[in-house]
């Protein structure tokens, strides 16, 4: 019975991911269109207001809906409908509806005409789609705002020459202890297991060793790694993050420390590259994901 329930929930997850991808695409495409008609200043104001509105919507969704309140921290997990506490928090009748739902009967055109049309058969379905889509959209807006700030020239004051007394900088304070940008809690044995996983899945263009992977998580690589598949890399890192082996901010750590090169062009993977790859694997699992899942299960067993 458990296997059937899990299988059906994962099929429903795939339907949900497709709906999220459609809604997210509509939002980002609309934002791109607005850029063609608004000035830079107007666009910055619009993005700031949109961030406020989306945040308000997310808070309202979670406050009004007990199911969303419980899964909001788990939606980065590829199979969060099953892997999070969502199933346990459903009532008996609600569970029966999810278990008995015939996924082959799902009509995307019908959903697009009315996003709530399946809420009776799948309780909270449209609200979950909104929660995931708006969470992704909020991150996209925040990245857009960060990019616009980065392009703003320094003001005249910042261009002034510093005074003589300001030129002399104090000696930097020596910080003792071990740096851990990824907030990794992986043990030596777990690192060895992950090396097998990475090499078997061919995530990088080269075969790596435990020393290389340890240096990677310490951001002290003697060189760089080259991605063989950005989506598989994102899937692995998402899984490690979901189970609290590494930090939620793994995308920024990789980008800021210039740890990985793209496969085609010799350029460092950016946060945007990794974020796009992570968004993609939420909709369609990358080829080879089952290898990663196998090793993640071993990792959890200790």
């Amino acid at each position: 019975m458990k296997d059937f329930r899990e299988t059906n929930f994962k099929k429903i997850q795939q339907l949900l991911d497709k709906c999220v991808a459609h809604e997210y695409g509509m939002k980002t495409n609309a934002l791109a269109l607005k850029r063609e008609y608004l000035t830079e200043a107007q666009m910055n104001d619009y993005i700031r207001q949109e961030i406020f509105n989306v945040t308000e919507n997310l808070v309202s969704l979670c406050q009004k809906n007990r199911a969303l309140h419980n899964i909001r921290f788990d939606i980065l997990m590829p199979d969060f409908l099953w892997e999070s506490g969502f199933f346990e928090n459903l009532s008996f009748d609600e569970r029966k509806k999810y278990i008995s739902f015939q996924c082959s009967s799902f009509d995307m055109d019908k959903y697009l005409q009315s996003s709530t049309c399946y809420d009776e058969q799948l309780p909270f379905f449209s609200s979950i789609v909104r929660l995931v889509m708006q969470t992704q959209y909020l991150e996209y807006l925040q990245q857009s705002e960060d990019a616009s700030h980065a392009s703003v020239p320094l003001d005249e004051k910042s261009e002034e020459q510093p005074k003589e007394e300001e030129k002399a900088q104090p000696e930097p304070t020596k910080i003792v202890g071990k740096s851990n940008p990824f907030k990794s809690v992986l043990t030596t044995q777990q690192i060895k297991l992950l090396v097998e996983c990475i090499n078997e899945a061919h995530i990088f263009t080269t075969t790596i060793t435990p020393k290389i992977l340890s240096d990677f998580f310490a951001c002290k690589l003697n060189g760089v790694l080259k991605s063989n598949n950005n989506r598989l890399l994102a899937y692995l890192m998402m899984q490690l993050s979901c189970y609290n082996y590494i930090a939620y901010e793994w995308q920024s750590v990789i980008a800021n420390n210039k740890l990985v090169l793209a496969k085609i062009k010799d350029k460092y993977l950016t946060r945007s590259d990794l974020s796009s790859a992570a968004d993609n694997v939420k909709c369609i699992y990358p080829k080879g994901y089952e290898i990663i899942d196998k090793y993640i299960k071993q990792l959890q067993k200790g």
Side-chain angles (χ1 to χ4, degrees), residues 181-193:
F182 277 105
K183 298 182 174 64
S184 170
V185 296
L186 293 163
T187 65
T188 302
Q189 193 59 38
Q190 289 170 331
I191 288 286
K192 290 180 180 178
L193 192 64

Side-chain angles (χ1 to χ4, degrees), residues 143-207:
Q143 289 178 10
S144 298
E145 186 178 45
D146 290 343
S148 66
H149 287 164
S151 65
V152 175
L154 297 173
D155 58 32
E156 293 181 359
K157 288 186 179 179
S158 64
E159 295 175 355
E160 293 177 358
Q161 292 297 320
K163 297 178 181 178
E164 286 299 321
E165 58 268 27
E166 293 174 341
K167 288 182 179 180
Q169 296 295 325
E171 287 292 324
T173 304
K174 182 178 180 181
I175 306 297
V176 297
K178 188 176 181 180
S179 174
N180 189 9
F182 277 105
K183 298 182 174 64
S184 170
V185 296
L186 293 163
T187 65
T188 302
Q189 193 59 38
Q190 289 170 331
I191 288 286
K192 290 180 180 178
L193 192 64
L194 280 177
V195 166
E196 294 179 25
C197 171
I198 290 168
N199 289 335
E200 184 177 336
H202 302 292
I203 292 176
F204 299 116
T205 57
T206 55
T207 300

Side-chain angles (χ1 to χ4, degrees), residues 20-249:
V20 170
H22 173 81
E23 300 289 345
Y24 178 78
M26 293 286 288
K27 281 286 189 182
T28 54
N29 289 339
L31 190 67
L33 189 60
K34 287 182 174 68
R35 290 185 187 277
E36 298 181 14
Y37 296 99
L38 298 178
T39 65
E40 185 175 351
Q42 289 172 332
M43 195 66 199
N44 290 340
D45 288 340
Y46 176 81
I47 289 175
R48 194 173 299 111
Q49 184 61 45
E50 191 77 340
I51 288 174
F52 175 81
N53 292 337
V54 173
T55 303
E56 287 290 299
N57 290 339
L58 284 170
V59 171
S60 177
L61 267 174
C62 293
Q63 286 181 334
K64 293 178 181 178
N65 194 312
R66 59 178 172 80
L68 302 193
H69 179 78
N70 290 323
I71 67 171
R72 70 189 190 281
F73 296 119
D74 297 320
I75 59 176
L76 288 177
M77 299 171 69
D79 289 314
F80 68 82
L81 280 182
W82 179 255
E83 298 293 347
S84 70
F86 177 69
F87 179 77
E88 285 74 14
N89 287 306
L90 293 174
S91 68
F92 179 73
D93 288 338
E94 289 165 350
R95 291 183 189 182
K96 285 175 59 179
K97 289 181 178 180
Y98 270 85
I99 294 169
S100 63
F101 182 75
Q102 297 295 318
C103 293
S104 59
S105 68
F106 189 90
D107 187 335
M108 191 63 174
D109 290 334
K110 181 181 176 182
Y111 169 81
L112 294 179
Q113 291 176 8
S114 173
S115 61
T116 59
C117 64
Y118 285 101
D119 282 2
E120 178 59 34
Q121 297 166 268
L122 295 171
F124 316 114
F125 186 83
S126 65
S127 296
I128 297 171
V129 171
R130 287 170 59 202
L131 175 71
V132 179
M133 181 277 291
Q134 292 193 358
T135 300
Q136 293 178 4
Y137 183 49
L138 178 60
E139 183 177 358
Y140 179 81
L141 289 168
Q142 290 169 333
Q143 289 178 10
S144 298
E145 186 178 45
D146 290 343
S148 66
H149 287 164
S151 65
V152 175
L154 297 173
D155 58 32
E156 293 181 359
K157 288 186 179 179
S158 64
E159 295 175 355
E160 293 177 358
Q161 292 297 320
K163 297 178 181 178
E164 286 299 321
E165 58 268 27
E166 293 174 341
K167 288 182 179 180
Q169 296 295 325
E171 287 292 324
T173 304
K174 182 178 180 181
I175 306 297
V176 297
K178 188 176 181 180
S179 174
N180 189 9
F182 277 105
K183 298 182 174 64
S184 170
V185 296
L186 293 163
T187 65
T188 302
Q189 193 59 38
Q190 289 170 331
I191 288 286
K192 290 180 180 178
L193 192 64
L194 280 177
V195 166
E196 294 179 25
C197 171
I198 290 168
N199 289 335
E200 184 177 336
H202 302 292
I203 292 176
F204 299 116
T205 57
T206 55
T207 300
I208 67 165
T209 64
K211 173 68 165 59
I212 290 174
L213 189 58
S214 295
D215 288 347
F216 172 84
F217 284 120
C219 297
K220 294 180 179 178
L221 278 175
N222 182 24
V224 295
L225 289 166
K226 192 167 188 175
S227 171
N228 190 46
N229 188 318
N230 290 355
R231 297 174 72 242
L232 265 184
L233 172 61
Y235 187 82
L236 172 64
M237 300 301 286
M238 283 173 61
Q239 291 291 73
L240 292 175
S241 172
C242 285
Y243 292 106
N244 297 317
Y245 290 111
I246 61 172
Y248 171 78
E249 304 85 3

